[in-house]
Amino acid sequence: MSDVKVFTLEDLQAHKSREDLYLLISGKVYDATQFLDEHPGGDEVLLEEAGRDGTEAFEDVGHSDEARDMLVKMFVGNFDGPTKSSAKASAGGSTTTSSSSGTNPLLFVVLAGVGAFLAWRLFLA
Ligand code: HEM
């Protein structure tokens, strides 16, 4: 069985300092403390992403495969909590109706077509 540690948002927020820095990227938690001084993009950006989901910031830079390989050595555990993507999905609670029809316009078009066809058949009958 796996004994990988699972971090909550509170766990993550306890590691936001220069002496103790964890980063959350793509649902995984990395200890970047030793890496702060080595990061080619500087320590500031890493400190900025501490305690929150840094996936977008990390991906926006277009990090190389080499950079991604470095993550493997820093891995300390998985994250159990709201990530940016899941937060977006659940944040849409009140707008679920509009976003679901917005995300699947094809279904709407097909249903409208079937409805129009049935109305036409009934009209002719
Ligand atoms: C532990 C996680 C990270 C690792 C291992 C890492 C690693 C690297 C590496 C190896 C480079 C050199 C270019 C490349 O190979 O892609 C780089 C550049 C860069 N990184 Fe990161 N990075 C991490 C997190 C972040 C985060 C969260 C940000 C937030 C914005 C960031 C911003 C940048 C920037 C702006 C550069 C470009 C620096 C330049 O070319 O002047 N990195 N990073």
Side-chain angles (χ1 to χ4, degrees):
M1 287 312 245
S2 109
D3 53 357
V4 174
K5 195 169 174 353
V6 175
F7 292 83
T8 63
L9 192 60
E10 289 78 50
D11 295 333
L12 201 66
Q13 305 222 317
H15 305 272
K16 290 167 65 168
S17 72
R18 187 173 281 280
E19 293 75 34
D20 182 15
L21 181 79
Y22 283 11
L23 289 175
L24 167 61
I25 298 169
S26 301
K28 291 193 164 70
V29 180
Y30 301 98
D31 182 349
T33 317
Q34 307 299 320
F35 184 62
L36 264 182
D37 294 333
E38 293 168 34
H39 184 222
D43 53 0
E44 283 301 317
V45 287
L46 298 187
L47 284 161
E48 231 167 74
E49 297 308 321
R52 65 179 184 191
D53 191 348
T55 311
E56 214 171 291
F58 183 81
E59 294 301 341
D60 279 355
V61 174
H63 281 95
S64 64
D65 287 344
E66 209 181 335
R68 286 161 203 277
D69 285 348
M70 296 170 98
L71 286 176
V72 178
K73 284 173 267 162
M74 302 178 204
F75 178 76
V76 285
N78 290 316
F79 183 67
D80 177 28
T83 57
K84 261 192 186 145
S85 43
S86 70
K88 249 183 222 158
S90 58
S94 56
T95 56
T96 311
T97 339
S98 61
S99 69
S100 65
S101 67
T103 51
N104 205 345
L106 191 64
L107 182 67
F108 179 75
V109 170
V110 169
L111 285 178
V114 170
F117 176 73
L118 287 176
W120 176 66
R121 288 300 297 263
L122 281 174
F123 185 71
L124 284 187

